[in-house]
Amino acid sequence: MFSFIKGNLAEIYEDSLIVEAGGIGYQVQVPLSVLPQVSVGEEVTLYTCLQIRDDAVSLYGFLSRDDQSLFRLLIGVSGIGPKGALGILSVISPDDLRFAVLADDAKTIARAPGVGIKTARKVILELKDKLKLEDAFELKQAHAEAQTVSAHEDPRGEAVQALTALGYSASEAMKAVRKIKNTDEMTTEEILKAALKTMALF
């Protein structure tokens, strides 16, 4: 029903965004990896997937078509619902997920919250025939080139990565970075220093 939503980012929550489009605020659940890449007030485009159940109607969103496509593949795996798919995409990049499936690397997939080895093996079993090694290499190369060009444009994401490398959880790192104002005018180092000061006050 919805292919994407483009609008003003009105609010950011722990696991979702409120995007205002056409005078309507859409609550879109997203992977945790999306949160440090967006700011309230900016225009965003989220590629979406609508899930309708007897007890709920939920909208899931992603910053790329690639993430959207993998989400749809994951929710097609028996035993993996939308929350499980979001959990996997929160901690494993699309490129790493493809290679983990093709390499029978259940341990990497099992890093996702709520995903055990048995479930990870099921993901591999059901997705392996749907992925091609040639495509995985081509997509990884394309993403690497894009990141090289735009790395300087995402200092918030780099700061989050630096904090997690220092031992903080992804959730703690994102909370600290999101508390900092005017990050668009700051370098990665400045954001990192400000975040560390904020975390000292937790």
Side-chain angles (χ1 to χ4, degrees):
M1 184 176 181
F2 297 109
S3 177
F4 68 87
I5 289 181
K6 183 177 183 179
N8 183 67
L9 180 55
E11 299 175 51
I12 298 176
Y13 292 103
E14 289 296 318
D15 59 357
S16 64
L17 307 176
I18 304 297
V19 180
E20 181 183 351
I24 299 174
Y26 295 91
Q27 182 167 15
V28 188
Q29 296 184 55
V30 297
L32 292 177
S33 54
V34 168
L35 302 181
Q37 302 181 62
V38 296
S39 296
V40 170
E42 70 179 6
E43 184 177 74
V44 296
T45 298
L46 295 177
Y47 300 95
T48 57
C49 182
L50 180 66
Q51 291 286 300
I52 300 176
R53 301 185 308 183
D54 291 339
D55 59 344
V57 176
S58 301
L59 192 61
Y60 300 89
F62 311 89
L63 293 178
S64 73
R65 291 283 189 191
D66 192 20
D67 290 65
Q68 180 195 46
S69 176
L70 278 175
F71 176 80
R72 287 175 173 162
L73 285 177
L74 284 167
I75 60 176
V77 175
S78 57
I80 296 287
K83 288 187 177 180
L86 277 187
I88 291 173
L89 292 174
S90 290
V91 299
I92 307 172
S93 71
D95 290 323
D96 289 343
L97 178 58
R98 272 188 288 267
F99 282 112
V101 169
L102 292 167
D104 293 324
D105 184 1
K107 288 185 178 180
T108 292
I109 299 172
R111 284 169 25 206
V115 178
I117 288 293
K118 287 185 178 180
T119 302
R121 288 174 179 160
K122 187 177 294 185
V123 170
I124 292 171
L125 179 65
E126 297 191 27
L127 294 189
K128 198 164 188 178
D129 291 340
K130 298 179 181 180
L131 301 174
K132 295 181 180 180
L133 188 59
E134 296 81 2
D135 293 341
F137 277 115
E138 288 180 6
L139 286 167
K140 186 174 180 63
Q141 179 64 30
H143 293 157
E145 291 174 357
Q147 288 175 1
T148 299
V149 172
S150 62
H152 67 285
E153 298 176 356
D154 187 24
R156 290 170 297 177
E158 292 179 349
V160 169
Q161 291 178 4
L163 288 168
T164 55
L166 290 173
Y168 294 100
S169 70
S171 177
E172 290 174 333
M174 286 184 285
K175 285 181 182 177
V177 170
R178 281 167 51 191
K179 285 187 176 181
I180 303 168
K181 297 180 180 180
N182 302 319
T183 54
D184 289 341
E185 303 173 4
M186 300 169 68
T187 65
T188 299
E189 184 176 356
E190 289 172 337
I191 294 173
L192 179 59
K193 288 181 179 179
L196 287 170
K197 288 182 180 179
T198 300
M199 298 180 94
L201 299 176
F202 281 179

